[in-house]
Amino acid sequence: MLDINTSLKSVPRITPKYIRVLEKLGLFTVKDLLLYLPFRYDDFSKIVPLSNDFVGQAITAEGKIIKAKNNRLFRRKMTITEIILEDQNRNLLKAVWFNQSYILENFPVGSTARFSGKLGTNGKYFSMSNPAFEKSTRDATNTGCLVPIYSETSGITSKWIRWQIKTLLPLAKNIPDILSVEIRKKYNLSDIYTTLSQIHFPDSSEKLIRAQKRMAFQEMFLVQLKTLEIKKEFEEKDSNKIKFDEKLIKNFVSNLPFKLTNAQRKSTFEILKDLEKSHPMNRLLNGDVGSGKTIVAAISALQTISAGYQIALMAPTEVLARQHFLSFSEIFKNYDFNIALLTSSYKLVYQKNKNKIIPRNDLLEKIASGKINLVIGTHALIQKDVKFRNLALVIIDEQHRFGVNQRATLQQNIPRESASSPRESAQQVPHLLTMTATPIPRTLAIAFFGSLDLSILDEMPKNRKPIITKIIAPTGREKVYSFIRSEIKKNRQVFVILPLVEESLSESMLDVKAVKAEHERLSREIFPEFKLGLLHGKMKAKEKEEVMEEFKNKNFDILVSTSVVEVGIDIPNATIIVIENVERFGLTQLHQFRGRVGRGKEQSYCFLFSEKKPARLNIMEKTNDGFEISEHDLKLRGPGQFFGTIQSGLPDIAMEHLSNVKLIKFARTEAKDLLENDPKLKGHPLLADALKKFSEKIHLE
Ligand code: ADP
Ligand code: MG
């Protein structure tokens, strides 16, 4: 007898060939398969009479087969299956398929069928190419309904999955519901069986939405349980209490060349208060590009070093690490601190205004003995042999660019061997400050970073002039180019950014080709009188750095680059940024690029080159406020862009409903209540189990 825990291997229709693919998808039992959810739907629910009104739309036609044949095109090694269906009004539909000759056997002349697809017409016939098909005698599963599309891997089709799930679905009645009856009642959520039935085979889009809401709530509930659990774990660990030295901080702040913004003050205070606690800080400093995160981090560093502890600052790239090294060296030039830069190509120690390169082992020795106060680096920092003497604060810049494990490793780098009292220190965990320049909408921050405390820099330093942004149609190009000429003559510098040619996570050779071609075009045809640099992701870190360095030193007037230009790079003299093909970028991303300029005293400009001038870009002209733009972007494109599904591991269903603030709040309230009464979930074994599985696949820190 089949049940939900039966291995898929014992399901009669599933052959070993399929087992292999299913296992790759992480599906082992009947229950796993039933919980494998579609990521989208084809809406074939309209079964309609053939009519010109529906041409161009996805529909389902039903009728009698009056002609059916396979045409073999030997020379092109292709078979075309052609079936003509006559509907009740005697209108004709010609359906064709390529290389699927087996279809013919299913539809003998005289039988009835449903075909679903986009309706076309060639005058004599209505037409469909490669439609989904089904005998009329069958339940509407592949045609005539909202047809679920599953993420497929080779060897397995959505149609096959639908077929399997259809027969196994009654077993879903035995899946225990991890949401209690009370919660379901309170928020009007359907039970798990109804939910799964409607998600796999929706009766209507209303019922489907209700089912998706329930799944989204469930996912969000688990997310909240998990984040609260992480938060609690943090609170149970010990850390070094670092006393707030008011005089020290006041003195430092009053000697800064500028006045801190209120947001900077508030954030700094929140951090310094956290450092005084005996359990580790876990705080995210979220502030737009240029909002001044560095100085906030520096004040935390000052307090920590002055209390006699070490600090590690990790940045995602060499260029950024080096920039931080230079900034911190400058900020602390009047202090007697030893600051080191550790990346794979640099081992640098800053000692009283003297940069010097020393062998890696010597540097590691200095770190281990505590001679170095502040180590700045890339992931070179988390190599096994990097040992600290008394690391009390870890700062991570652009946190989203690191994997969870990398972050955890650095934080767990607890002093053991050299501690004076091993028993005491073994439990001690450094305080953690993460920083990000991606303005994260509040709802999302609550949803995903519920385990972190949040400090927000939502205020720009006063001396900034807002960047002037213009969307430029192709006809406006020349004018922009001549404006650029006049600005360069005033000694300003320019970024030109090209998007990735293909949508992918990293740059391809195609992108390199495109950026080279644009560099060539601009150098020869547009700006022959100026010097142009080139930057792309296929260059070695060292090369990239040299190019940035040269740009900074004004050896180039214009830097043509793919989207690799690092977040956080500081070139105050660059006052113009041109972004090509802006259609390819999200608003949040465009805003990040824009932040490359506007860092100095001069007026800065951002030109967005666009063929189509899509309306969604208008907000870029209207505001420089990153939080406003990201809220807007969240509404337009959903939350996926802030944390790719890949990164968070959350299913699309939950992601789609994330802009639903109420749902997040309800889930959080319920999770809090539950954990207060049953912190270890002892009375909720189902939930505990679901949470464990869930934790394995998603990352929330
Ligand atoms: P980000 O938040 O992008 O890391 P930075 O910390 O690099 O921003 O700061 C950008 C620039 O603004 C730096 O040159 C910094 O010295 C300057 N800055 C920071 N805070 C202030 C302030 N309150 N007033 C004026 N300038 C500031
Ligand atoms: Mg920064």
Side-chain angles (χ1 to χ4, degrees):
M1 256 268 288
L2 291 182
D3 195 6
I4 51 169
N5 294 319
T6 307
S7 159
L8 289 169
K9 288 181 186 147
S10 318
V11 177
R13 293 170 312 274
I14 303 182
T15 55
K17 182 185 110 188
Y18 285 108
I19 292 295
R20 269 195 300 279
V21 186
L22 291 168
E23 286 183 351
K24 244 191 244 155
L25 292 170
L27 310 176
F28 297 93
T29 64
V30 169
K31 184 174 159 197
D32 293 340
L33 185 58
L34 289 170
L35 289 170
Y36 189 63
L37 307 185
F39 72 96
R40 67 173 184 89
Y41 297 82
D42 276 338
D43 187 355
F44 292 145
S45 54
K46 267 195 255 174
I47 304 184
V48 292
L50 291 163
S51 145
N52 279 325
D53 294 349
F54 298 114
V55 169
Q57 296 184 31
I59 57 140
T60 298
E62 185 156 29
K64 201 159 80 181
I65 310 291
I66 58 167
K67 223 178 189 178
K69 64 173 181 204
N70 276 334
N71 293 326
R72 293 212 158 75
L73 303 181
F74 287 104
R75 250 194 285 157
R76 286 162 65 188
K77 295 203 174 117
M78 195 196 266
T79 306
I80 298 183
T81 303
E82 203 179 283
I83 294 183
I84 296 180
L85 175 143
E86 185 188 69
D87 78 351
Q88 54 188 22
N89 301 331
R90 317 211 80 180
N91 285 317
L92 299 180
L93 171 74
K94 186 198 265 185
V96 292
W97 293 265
F98 304 96
N99 291 333
Q100 298 180 64
S101 54
Y102 66 91
I103 291 174
L104 205 64
E105 299 151 24
N106 291 310
F107 298 106
V109 170
S111 67
T112 50
R114 278 188 303 268
F115 295 155
S116 290
K118 198 166 138 191
L119 190 66
T121 176
N122 66 4
K124 189 171 170 204
Y125 296 108
F126 290 99
S127 61
M128 276 185 195
S129 173
N130 265 321
F133 52 86
E134 207 159 46
K135 291 179 183 166
S136 287
T137 46
R138 290 231 177 133
D139 282 355
T141 305
N142 300 309
T143 66
C145 55
L146 281 166
V147 178
I149 308 295
Y150 300 86
S151 124
E152 302 172 356
T153 56
S154 62
I156 207 162
T157 62
S158 281
K159 188 168 184 175
W160 186 89
I161 297 174
R162 284 196 287 276
W163 179 54
Q164 297 301 334
I165 292 184
K166 183 111 200 169
T167 37
L168 294 171
L169 190 64
L171 294 173
K173 287 189 181 125
N174 304 336
I175 295 179
D177 203 324
I178 62 170
L179 294 184
S180 68
V181 183
E182 294 79 57
I183 289 188
R184 275 174 3 227
K185 270 220 178 105
K186 193 161 163 191
Y187 300 106
N188 189 23
L189 302 168
S190 49
D191 63 77
I192 187 71
Y193 173 67
T194 312
T195 302
L196 288 177
S197 311
Q198 290 302 323
I199 279 187
H200 290 300
F201 306 104
D203 287 329
S204 66
S205 50
E206 291 74 34
K207 288 188 178 171
L208 171 62
I209 287 171
R210 182 151 187 260
Q212 286 180 324
K213 273 222 176 102
R214 135 93 212 211
M215 269 342 255
F217 183 90
Q218 172 173 329
E219 296 285 340
M220 199 33 68
F221 186 50
L222 291 173
V223 167
Q224 297 308 325
L225 284 173
K226 187 70 205 162
T227 56
L228 289 168
E229 204 172 61
I230 295 169
K231 192 167 175 148
K232 190 141 177 288
E233 266 168 36
F234 254 84
E235 284 164 3
E236 280 164 3
K237 285 179 189 155
D238 289 337
S239 63
N240 294 300
K241 286 197 227 177
I242 300 165
K243 208 172 144 1
F244 177 26
D245 181 343
E246 202 177 331
K247 215 172 122 206
L248 173 84
I249 303 299
K250 275 213 165 120
N251 182 41
F252 177 81
V253 169
S254 63
N255 281 314
L256 285 174
F258 46 74
K259 219 172 143 254
L260 291 182
T261 64
N262 285 330
Q264 282 173 319
R265 272 173 199 285
K266 183 160 177 268
S267 299
T268 304
F269 190 69
E270 286 165 348
I271 294 167
L272 294 177
K273 277 283 151 207
D274 277 0
L275 293 178
E276 287 198 301
K277 294 183 184 150
S278 59
H279 63 81
M281 164 171 78
N282 190 10
R283 185 172 283 278
L284 175 66
L285 180 60
N286 188 191
D288 211 339
V289 178
S291 59
K293 293 183 288 295
T294 313
I295 204 72
V296 175
I299 297 172
S300 333
L302 170 68
Q303 180 64 83
T304 308
I305 297 174
S306 303
Y309 297 104
Q310 286 176 302
I311 297 164
L313 190 161
M314 184 157 73
T317 64
E318 297 221 353
V319 182
L320 275 179
R322 200 166 124 77
Q323 188 173 293
H324 274 308
F325 174 72
L326 296 173
S327 311
F328 277 80
S329 301
E330 172 65 24
I331 291 170
F332 291 137
K333 64 172 185 265
N334 296 325
Y335 291 79
D336 201 11
F337 298 158
N338 285 318
I339 306 173
L341 176 66
L342 177 62
T343 72
S344 46
S345 34
Y346 287 94
K347 305 105 207 167
L348 216 60
V349 185
Y350 180 86
Q351 268 169 321
K352 294 182 198 106
N353 296 323
K354 176 167 91 214
N355 281 343
K356 120 175 154 209
I357 296 184
I358 61 170
R360 183 169 189 274
N361 281 338
D362 291 2
L363 180 55
L364 294 190
E365 205 278 313
K366 283 177 193 285
I367 295 172
S369 68
K371 279 204 190 82
I372 305 287
N373 308 104
L374 168 57
V375 190
I376 296 169
T378 53
H379 26 263
L381 275 183
I382 50 178
Q383 246 101 70
K384 266 207 208 83
D385 54 353
V386 185
K387 297 254 173 355
F388 291 83
R389 180 160 186 281
N390 55 5
L391 182 64
L393 172 63
V394 169
I395 303 173
I396 298 180
D397 197 13
E398 297 310 329
Q399 55 87 23
H400 62 281
R401 307 215 3 213
F402 289 101
V404 189
N405 293 338
Q406 285 176 313
R407 280 182 267 148
T409 311
L410 187 53
Q411 206 186 15
Q412 275 152 23
N413 196 326
I414 317 158
R416 283 206 180 85
E417 293 104 296
S418 52
S420 48
S421 158
R423 244 196 79 248
E424 183 185 294
S425 66
Q427 297 296 318
Q428 304 227 315
V429 173
H431 296 284
L432 178 61
L433 175 66
T434 51
M435 308 196 282
T436 181
T438 309
I440 303 168
R442 235 176 213 288
T443 49
L444 279 194
I446 300 169
F448 278 97
F449 297 135
S451 58
L452 304 175
D453 294 308
L454 211 56
S455 290
I456 299 181
L457 296 182
D458 52 4
E459 182 189 357
M460 283 289 168
K462 295 272 175 319
N463 57 1
R464 297 287 148 72
K465 283 203 184 102
I467 300 161
I468 295 175
T469 301
K470 289 261 176 274
I471 304 166
I472 306 291
T475 48
R477 235 171 227 276
E478 278 312 317
K479 226 169 130 193
V480 169
Y481 287 149
S482 57
F483 177 73
I484 289 177
R485 274 182 212 108
S486 67
E487 286 292 297
I488 295 178
K489 283 187 188 127
K490 286 190 232 158
N491 231 341
R492 310 281 139 70
Q493 288 169 285
V494 182
F495 284 106
V496 175
I497 309 289
L498 271 72
L500 297 186
V501 175
E502 286 170 330
E503 242 183 81
S504 63
L505 291 174
S506 61
E507 280 181 36
S508 66
M509 284 322 284
L510 225 59
D511 297 307
V512 175
K513 231 172 114 180
V515 73
K516 277 187 177 159
E518 180 65 3
H519 175 261
E520 181 77 17
R521 184 183 79 88
L522 292 175
S523 312
R524 278 217 201 146
E525 294 168 26
I526 315 285
F527 301 116
E529 69 270 47
F530 299 129
K531 281 171 291 177
L532 282 81
L534 174 69
L535 192 71
H536 59 75
K538 291 273 174 215
M539 289 161 69
K540 291 206 182 78
K542 198 90 193 230
E543 289 174 301
K544 277 194 264 183
E545 210 155 288
E546 278 164 18
V547 172
M548 288 309 295
E549 199 63 30
E550 281 193 67
F551 191 48
K552 203 165 187 164
N553 295 334
K554 301 189 193 172
N555 292 342
F556 305 126
D557 306 299
I558 302 175
L559 183 64
V560 185
S561 169
T562 52
S563 40
V564 292
V565 195
E566 303 299 345
V567 176
I569 283 299
D570 206 5
I571 305 203
N573 191 52
T575 57
I576 298 182
I577 186 162
V578 169
I579 307 175
E580 292 280 350
N581 274 315
V582 286
E583 299 82 15
R584 291 182 154 266
F585 295 108
L587 297 176
T588 309
Q589 218 183 345
L590 287 175
H591 178 71
Q592 297 268 306
F593 285 130
R594 179 164 63 178
R596 299 306 105 233
V597 299
R599 306 195 137 221
K601 291 186 290 296
E602 308 301 335
Q603 177 62 54
S604 285
Y605 303 87
C606 170
F607 297 110
L608 304 174
F609 282 166
S610 164
E611 300 270 317
K612 296 181 215 122
K613 230 184 157 176
R616 70 176 176 101
L617 291 178
N618 292 345
I619 192 170
M620 297 295 299
E621 288 185 339
K622 279 195 209 112
T623 181
N624 273 287
D625 181 340
F627 284 97
E628 194 180 329
I629 290 172
S630 69
E631 289 283 356
H632 191 74
D633 212 11
L634 174 64
K635 281 190 203 115
L636 282 178
R637 300 194 309 150
Q641 58 192 309
F642 296 98
F643 325 89
T645 328
I646 305 167
Q647 199 200 342
S648 74
L650 267 190
D652 295 352
I653 283 191
M655 292 300 265
E656 263 171 37
H657 286 81
L658 267 192
S659 16
N660 188 337
V661 186
K662 257 203 234 146
L663 186 138
I664 295 169
K665 283 200 178 134
F666 290 155
R668 189 153 181 89
T669 310
E670 292 306 323
K672 260 192 183 144
D673 274 6
L674 181 65
L675 287 179
E676 247 157 49
N677 296 320
D678 184 6
K680 294 261 182 277
L681 297 178
K682 285 216 174 83
H684 298 81
L686 274 177
L687 212 46
D689 188 50
L691 192 58
K692 193 164 154 272
K693 286 218 179 91
F694 187 73
S695 313
E696 282 159 15
K697 61 173 206 220
I698 70 158
H699 316 310
L700 291 166
E701 288 108 304

